[in-house]
Each structure stands twice: as C-alpha cells, then as structure tokens.
Amino acid sequence: MENKNKNKIIIMLLWVLEGAFVGTGAILPGISGGALLVAFGMYRPIIETLSHPIKGLKTHLKMFIFFFAGVGLGFVGLSKVTSLLLSMNEAVVTAVFVGFILGTVPELWRDAGERGRTKGSYIALAVSFLALLGLLIFLKTTSDVKLEANTWGFIFCGILWGLSFIVPGLSSSSLLLFFGLYEPMLEGISSLSFAVIIPMGLSMVASVLLLSRVMEIAFKKCYSILTHSVLGFVLATTVMIIPPFNTGFVDALIYTICIAAGAAVSFFFSLLCERMKVRAESINGQDEDNSENDIGDFEGATELSSSECEGNDRGESVNMAEEPSEDGGEPRGE
C-alpha cells in the first residue's frame, strides 16, 4: 500500500514536470507546442478527450489536472524566467530544448510503428519533413510582415497557438516572430494582462475544439501515415531551430554539450515516466487481484460457515431423534 501511494505521488510529479516542459518550451521561438505534446505522450489523450469529452475525462482527468497545472506553471509562471534566459543567451536555451526533443525521437519512432509500417508510412515521413522544412525556410528568408499588437492581433496569436497544438511541428512562436507579435504577446502573458490573455485564450480554445475532431478521425483511419507525418513535422522543426555552429569553436562545443545533455535528460526522463506508469499499473492490477481473492475467500468462508451450521443443525436433530426416553423406553420420535 505504501509503495502504491509513493508511485502515485511520483507519477503526479512527473505529469507536472512534463507540463512545465511543454508550457516553457512552447514559449520558445521555433518550438512547437504540439511537438512537445507528442514527445511527452500527451497529444493522443488530449485529442481523444476534445473529441469525446465525457469518455476522455473519465479516463484521463487526473492526469490532465496535474499536467495542465504544470503547463500553467511553465507558460505563465516561468515566462519571465524564460524571457530573461533568452535575453541572456537565446542560442544556449534553444540548444537545450533541441536536445529535449531529440531525446524523445526513439519513443516517437516506436509509437509510430506500433501498428506496423508500410511504404506509405515512409513516404509520409519524408513528404511531411520536406514540406514543413521548406515552409519554415521560406518564412525565415522572407521579409517580415508586421501586424499591429491589438485585440485582433492577439486573437490571431490564439489561433496560431491552437494550430500549433493540433498540428505537431507547427511553431506558433516562429510565425509570431515573423508577424512581429511575439514580444508583445510574451510581455502581456508575463504581466498577466487580460487585454492579451482573454482574446488569445478564447481564440486558442476555439481553434483547438474545431480541429481536434478532424485529427481524431484521421488518427483512427490513417494511424501509421499520420503518426509518421507527425514525426516528420517534429524533425523538420528541430532542424530549423538548431543554433548556428559557424560562430566559433567554443560556441559550437557549448551548443553540442547542451544538445547532448538535453537529449540525455529527455531520453531518461521518458524512460522513467514509462517505467513508473507500467509499475503503477502493475501494482493496481495486483491490488485488484488481491481484492478479488479476498472477496472470493470471504464468500468461500461464508459458504463453509453456512454448510457447517446446516450440518450442526442436522446433527442436533438426529441426536434429539435418537435420545432415549426418561422411562427407558424406545427413543422418542417426532
């Protein structure tokens, strides 16, 4: 019982930590919130819940509570820290997050092939990778198009954020930098400005709800092709945010160390999450089996007690029937 409670607490903390990674990473330019959701295994549960709220919440409610608490912590609580770190050395912070994403690629590859791979799966992987890479290169090399930071601008921010969560690999931050809305949005979030948070939040929720059902149906009908496409999106985004290595040997060495460290942390973190979840499920299964055994033992003992009582009653009846009369005559009968 004590181990079970301990495992539950650890899993809850892992959910919060995963959420904090997603919330913090989604703020960084070039990093897709959807890609991070995929990386930490939250994308499918969220899509399924948005498509079928009652069924999804019944299954995933506890996980969502702790995960989105972590997202809030990373998105709002750490936005100032993230902004400060980015102002100090954006390349190093981005390199760490590149490592975080790369560390989850083995798990993404395994999950994509869960139902087998076909020629179409590999084609989808290549096409999605090249298509998004081309789009991101185009946006990076095209002259900036500035939008005004007003209510309509922040509604546009929310729509892009919703798209980035539904379409893994699509980085809303990169697009917002392109349109000149990234810094005003980040300042509004860090200062808890309702003029920024309300229009952005409402439009983000609307875009997520509208597209989630489409993605859920697509996963059911084309699982292998879609999951490999998602992996291609994630890889394309990761390639585009790798810091430049032509700024000197020392910088290149620092970026390499940061990427390797981030990948190692992410890889072992995903392994830890998986093992803890499997262990918790195993303990829960053992507890259910023990409960069933206890119920079975109780029912068996009850039946045995009832049989003994019936046997005793019959024995007493026979003894009474065979007991001789006081006058020494024949045994009394009924």
Coordinates of all heavy atoms in Angstrom, one line a residue, residues 20-76:
A20 N 5.3 21.4 -17.3 CA 6.2 22.6 -17.2 C 7.1 22.7 -18.4 O 7.4 23.7 -18.9 CB 7.0 22.5 -15.9
F21 N 7.6 21.5 -18.9 CA 8.4 21.5 -20.1 C 7.7 22.0 -21.3 O 8.1 22.8 -22.1 CB 9.0 20.0 -20.3 CG 10.2 19.7 -19.6 CD1 10.3 18.5 -18.9 CD2 11.3 20.5 -19.5 CE1 11.4 18.1 -18.2 CE2 12.4 20.2 -18.8 CZ 12.5 19.0 -18.1
V22 N 6.4 21.5 -21.4 CA 5.6 21.9 -22.6 C 5.3 23.3 -22.5 O 5.4 24.1 -23.5 CB 4.3 21.0 -22.6 CG1 3.3 21.6 -23.7 CG2 4.6 19.6 -22.9
G23 N 4.8 23.8 -21.3 CA 4.5 25.2 -21.2 C 5.7 26.2 -21.4 O 5.5 27.2 -22.1
T24 N 6.8 25.8 -20.9 CA 8.0 26.6 -21.1 C 8.5 26.6 -22.5 O 8.8 27.6 -23.1 CB 9.1 26.2 -20.1 OG1 8.7 26.2 -18.8 CG2 10.3 27.1 -20.2
G25 N 8.6 25.3 -23.1 CA 9.1 25.1 -24.4 C 8.2 25.8 -25.5 O 8.7 26.3 -26.5
A26 N 6.9 25.8 -25.2 CA 6.0 26.4 -26.2 C 6.2 27.9 -26.4 O 5.9 28.4 -27.4 CB 4.6 26.1 -25.8
I27 N 6.8 28.5 -25.4 CA 7.1 29.9 -25.5 C 8.3 30.2 -26.4 O 8.4 31.3 -27.0 CB 7.3 30.5 -24.1 CG1 6.1 30.4 -23.2 CG2 7.7 32.0 -24.1 CD1 6.3 30.8 -21.8
L28 N 9.2 29.3 -26.4 CA 10.5 29.5 -27.2 C 10.2 29.5 -28.7 O 9.5 28.7 -29.2 CB 11.5 28.4 -26.8 CG 11.9 28.3 -25.4 CD1 12.9 27.1 -25.2 CD2 12.5 29.6 -24.9
P29 N 10.9 30.5 -29.3 CA 10.7 30.6 -30.8 C 11.2 29.3 -31.5 O 12.2 28.8 -31.2 CB 11.6 31.8 -31.2 CG 11.8 32.5 -29.9 CD 11.7 31.5 -28.8
G30 N 10.4 28.8 -32.4 CA 10.8 27.7 -33.2 C 10.3 26.3 -32.7 O 10.4 25.3 -33.3
I31 N 9.9 26.3 -31.4 CA 9.5 25.1 -30.8 C 8.0 24.9 -30.8 O 7.2 25.9 -30.4 CB 10.0 25.0 -29.3 CG1 11.5 25.0 -29.3 CG2 9.5 23.7 -28.7 CD1 12.1 24.9 -28.0
S32 N 7.5 23.8 -31.3 CA 6.0 23.6 -31.4 C 5.4 23.0 -30.2 O 6.0 22.0 -29.6 CB 5.8 22.6 -32.6 OG 4.5 22.1 -32.6
G33 N 4.3 23.6 -29.7 CA 3.7 23.0 -28.5 C 3.1 21.6 -28.8 O 3.2 20.7 -28.0
G34 N 2.6 21.4 -30.1 CA 2.1 20.1 -30.5 C 3.2 19.1 -30.5 O 3.0 17.9 -30.1
A35 N 4.4 19.5 -31.0 CA 5.5 18.6 -31.0 C 5.9 18.1 -29.6 O 6.3 17.0 -29.4 CB 6.7 19.2 -31.7
L36 N 5.9 19.1 -28.6 CA 6.2 18.7 -27.3 C 5.1 17.8 -26.7 O 5.4 16.9 -25.9 CB 6.4 20.0 -26.4 CG 7.6 20.8 -26.7 CD1 7.5 22.1 -26.0 CD2 8.9 20.1 -26.4
L37 N 3.9 18.0 -27.0 CA 2.8 17.2 -26.5 C 3.0 15.7 -27.1 O 2.8 14.8 -26.3 CB 1.4 17.7 -27.0 CG 0.9 19.0 -26.3 CD1 -0.4 19.4 -26.9 CD2 0.7 18.7 -24.8
V38 N 3.4 15.6 -28.3 CA 3.7 14.3 -28.9 C 4.9 13.7 -28.2 O 4.8 12.5 -27.8 CB 4.0 14.4 -30.4 CG1 4.5 13.1 -31.0 CG2 2.7 14.9 -31.2
A39 N 5.9 14.5 -28.0 CA 7.1 14.0 -27.3 C 6.9 13.4 -26.0 O 7.5 12.4 -25.6 CB 8.2 15.1 -27.3
F40 N 5.9 14.0 -25.2 CA 5.7 13.5 -23.9 C 4.4 12.7 -23.8 O 3.9 12.4 -22.7 CB 5.6 14.7 -22.9 CG 6.9 15.4 -22.7 CD1 7.1 16.7 -23.1 CD2 7.9 14.8 -21.9 CE1 8.3 17.3 -22.9 CE2 9.1 15.4 -21.7 CZ 9.3 16.7 -22.2
G41 N 3.9 12.2 -24.9 CA 2.8 11.3 -24.9 C 1.5 11.8 -24.5 O 0.6 11.1 -24.1
M42 N 1.3 13.1 -24.6 CA 0.0 13.8 -24.2 C -0.9 14.1 -25.4 O -2.0 14.5 -25.2 CB 0.3 15.0 -23.4 CG 0.9 14.8 -22.1 SD -0.3 14.0 -21.0 CE 0.7 13.7 -19.5
Y43 N -0.3 14.0 -26.6 CA -1.1 14.5 -27.8 C -2.4 13.7 -28.0 O -3.5 14.2 -28.1 CB -0.2 14.5 -29.0 CG -0.9 15.0 -30.3 CD1 -1.0 16.4 -30.5 CD2 -1.4 14.1 -31.3 CE1 -1.6 16.9 -31.6 CE2 -2.0 14.6 -32.4 CZ -2.1 16.0 -32.6 OH -2.7 16.5 -33.7
R44 N -2.2 12.3 -28.1 CA -3.4 11.5 -28.4 C -4.5 11.6 -27.3 O -5.7 11.7 -27.6 CB -2.9 10.0 -28.5 CG -2.2 9.8 -29.8 CD -3.0 10.0 -31.0 NE -4.2 9.2 -31.0 CZ -4.2 7.9 -31.4 NH1 -3.1 7.2 -31.7 NH2 -5.4 7.2 -31.3
P45 N -4.1 11.5 -26.0 CA -5.1 11.7 -24.9 C -5.9 13.0 -25.0 O -7.1 13.0 -24.8 CB -4.3 11.6 -23.6 CG -3.1 10.8 -24.0 CD -2.8 11.2 -25.4
I46 N -5.2 14.1 -25.3 CA -5.9 15.4 -25.4 C -6.8 15.4 -26.6 O -7.9 15.9 -26.5 CB -4.8 16.5 -25.5 CG1 -4.1 16.7 -24.2 CG2 -5.5 17.8 -25.9 CD1 -3.0 17.7 -24.2
I47 N -6.3 14.9 -27.8 CA -7.2 14.9 -29.0 C -8.4 14.0 -28.7 O -9.6 14.4 -29.1 CB -6.4 14.4 -30.2 CG1 -5.3 15.4 -30.6 CG2 -7.3 14.1 -31.4 CD1 -5.8 16.7 -31.1
E48 N -8.2 12.9 -28.1 CA -9.4 12.0 -27.9 C -10.4 12.6 -26.9 O -11.6 12.5 -27.0 CB -8.9 10.7 -27.3 CG -8.1 9.8 -28.3 CD -7.4 8.6 -27.6 OE1 -7.5 8.5 -26.4 OE2 -6.7 7.9 -28.4
T49 N -9.8 13.3 -25.9 CA -10.7 14.0 -24.9 C -11.5 15.1 -25.5 O -12.7 15.3 -25.2 CB -9.9 14.5 -23.7 OG1 -9.2 13.4 -23.1 CG2 -10.8 15.1 -22.7
L50 N -10.8 15.9 -26.4 CA -11.5 17.0 -27.0 C -12.6 16.5 -28.0 O -13.7 17.2 -28.2 CB -10.5 17.9 -27.8 CG -9.6 18.7 -27.0 CD1 -8.5 19.3 -27.8 CD2 -10.3 19.8 -26.2
S51 N -12.4 15.3 -28.6 CA -13.4 14.8 -29.5 C -14.5 14.1 -28.7 O -15.7 14.1 -29.1 CB -12.7 13.7 -30.4 OG -11.7 14.3 -31.1
H52 N -14.2 13.4 -27.6 CA -15.2 12.7 -26.8 C -15.0 13.1 -25.3 O -14.3 12.4 -24.6 CB -15.1 11.2 -26.9 CG -15.2 10.8 -28.4 ND1 -16.3 10.7 -29.1 CD2 -14.2 10.4 -29.2 CE1 -16.1 10.3 -30.3 NE2 -14.8 10.1 -30.4
P53 N -15.5 14.3 -24.9 CA -15.1 14.9 -23.6 C -15.5 14.0 -22.4 O -14.6 13.8 -21.5 CB -15.9 16.2 -23.5 CG -16.2 16.5 -25.0 CD -16.3 15.2 -25.7
I54 N -16.6 13.4 -22.4 CA -17.1 12.6 -21.2 C -16.2 11.4 -21.1 O -15.7 11.1 -20.0 CB -18.6 12.2 -21.4 CG1 -19.4 13.4 -21.3 CG2 -18.9 11.2 -20.2 CD1 -20.9 13.1 -21.6
K55 N -16.0 10.6 -22.2 CA -15.2 9.4 -22.1 C -13.7 9.8 -21.8 O -13.1 9.1 -21.0 CB -15.3 8.7 -23.5 CG -14.5 7.4 -23.6 CD -14.6 6.8 -25.0 CE -13.7 5.6 -25.1 NZ -13.8 5.0 -26.4
G56 N -13.2 10.8 -22.5 CA -11.8 11.2 -22.2 C -11.5 11.7 -20.8 O -10.5 11.3 -20.2
L57 N -12.4 12.5 -20.3 CA -12.2 13.0 -18.9 C -12.3 11.9 -17.9 O -11.6 11.9 -16.9 CB -13.2 14.1 -18.6 CG -13.0 15.4 -19.3 CD1 -14.1 16.4 -19.0 CD2 -11.7 16.0 -18.9
K58 N -13.2 10.9 -18.2 CA -13.3 9.8 -17.3 C -12.1 9.0 -17.2 O -11.7 8.4 -16.2 CB -14.5 8.9 -17.7 CG -14.8 7.7 -16.8 CD -16.0 6.9 -17.3 CE -16.3 5.7 -16.4 NZ -17.5 4.9 -16.9
T59 N -11.3 8.9 -18.3 CA -10.1 8.1 -18.4 C -8.9 8.9 -18.0 O -8.0 8.4 -17.3 CB -9.9 7.6 -19.9 OG1 -11.0 6.9 -20.3 CG2 -8.7 6.7 -19.9
H60 N -8.8 10.2 -18.4 CA -7.6 11.0 -18.2 C -7.7 12.2 -17.3 O -6.7 12.9 -17.2 CB -7.1 11.5 -19.6 CG -7.0 10.4 -20.6 ND1 -6.1 9.4 -20.5 CD2 -7.6 10.2 -21.8 CE1 -6.2 8.6 -21.6 NE2 -7.1 9.1 -22.4
L61 N -8.8 12.3 -16.6 CA -9.0 13.6 -15.8 C -7.8 13.8 -14.8 O -7.3 14.9 -14.7 CB -10.3 13.5 -15.0 CG -10.6 14.7 -14.2 CD1 -10.7 16.0 -15.0 CD2 -11.9 14.5 -13.4
K62 N -7.5 12.8 -14.0 CA -6.4 13.0 -13.0 C -5.1 13.5 -13.7 O -4.4 14.4 -13.2 CB -6.2 11.7 -12.2 CG -5.2 11.9 -11.1 CD -4.9 10.6 -10.4 CE -6.1 10.1 -9.6 NZ -5.8 8.8 -8.9
M63 N -4.7 12.8 -14.7 CA -3.5 13.1 -15.5 C -3.6 14.6 -16.0 O -2.6 15.3 -15.9 CB -3.3 12.2 -16.6 CG -2.1 12.4 -17.4 SD -1.8 11.2 -18.8 CE -3.2 11.6 -19.9
F64 N -4.7 15.0 -16.5 CA -4.8 16.3 -17.1 C -4.7 17.4 -16.0 O -4.1 18.4 -16.3 CB -6.2 16.5 -17.8 CG -6.3 15.8 -19.1 CD1 -7.5 15.4 -19.7 CD2 -5.1 15.4 -19.8 CE1 -7.6 14.8 -20.9 CE2 -5.2 14.8 -21.0 CZ -6.4 14.5 -21.6
I65 N -5.3 17.1 -14.8 CA -5.2 18.1 -13.8 C -3.8 18.5 -13.4 O -3.4 19.7 -13.4 CB -5.9 17.6 -12.5 CG1 -7.5 17.6 -12.8 CG2 -5.6 18.5 -11.3 CD1 -8.2 16.9 -11.6
F66 N -2.9 17.5 -13.3 CA -1.6 17.7 -12.9 C -0.7 18.2 -14.1 O 0.1 19.1 -13.9 CB -0.9 16.4 -12.3 CG -1.5 16.1 -11.0 CD1 -2.5 15.2 -10.8 CD2 -1.0 16.7 -9.8 CE1 -3.0 14.9 -9.6 CE2 -1.5 16.3 -8.6 CZ -2.5 15.5 -8.4
F67 N -1.0 17.7 -15.3 CA -0.3 18.1 -16.5 C -0.5 19.5 -16.8 O 0.4 20.3 -17.0 CB -0.7 17.2 -17.6 CG 0.0 17.6 -18.9 CD1 1.3 17.3 -19.2 CD2 -0.7 18.3 -19.9 CE1 1.9 17.7 -20.4 CE2 -0.1 18.6 -21.1 CZ 1.2 18.3 -21.3
F68 N -1.8 20.0 -16.8 CA -2.1 21.3 -17.2 C -1.7 22.3 -16.0 O -1.5 23.5 -16.3 CB -3.5 21.5 -17.6 CG -3.8 21.0 -18.9 CD1 -4.5 19.8 -19.1 CD2 -3.3 21.6 -20.0 CE1 -4.8 19.3 -20.4 CE2 -3.6 21.1 -21.3 CZ -4.3 20.0 -21.5
A69 N -1.6 21.8 -14.8 CA -1.1 22.7 -13.7 C 0.4 23.0 -14.1 O 0.9 24.1 -13.9 CB -1.2 22.0 -12.4
G70 N 1.1 21.9 -14.5 CA 2.5 22.1 -15.0 C 2.6 23.1 -16.2 O 3.5 23.9 -16.2
V71 N 1.7 22.9 -17.1 CA 1.7 23.8 -18.3 C 1.5 25.2 -17.9 O 2.2 26.2 -18.3 CB 0.5 23.4 -19.3 CG1 0.4 24.5 -20.4 CG2 0.8 22.0 -19.9
G72 N 0.6 25.5 -16.9 CA 0.3 26.8 -16.4 C 1.6 27.4 -15.7 O 1.9 28.5 -15.9
L73 N 2.2 26.5 -15.0 CA 3.5 26.9 -14.3 C 4.5 27.3 -15.3 O 5.2 28.3 -15.1 CB 4.0 25.8 -13.4 CG 5.3 26.0 -12.7 CD1 5.2 27.1 -11.7 CD2 5.8 24.7 -12.0
G74 N 4.7 26.5 -16.3 CA 5.7 26.8 -17.3 C 5.4 27.9 -18.2 O 6.2 28.8 -18.6
F75 N 4.1 28.0 -18.6 CA 3.6 29.0 -19.6 C 3.6 30.4 -18.9 O 4.0 31.4 -19.5 CB 2.3 28.6 -20.1 CG 1.8 29.5 -21.3 CD1 2.4 29.3 -22.5 CD2 0.8 30.4 -21.1 CE1 2.0 30.1 -23.6 CE2 0.4 31.2 -22.2 CZ 1.0 31.0 -23.4
V76 N 3.0 30.5 -17.7 CA 2.8 31.8 -17.1 C 3.9 32.1 -16.1 O 4.6 33.1 -16.1 CB 1.4 31.9 -16.5 CG1 1.3 33.3 -15.8 CG2 0.3 31.8 -17.5

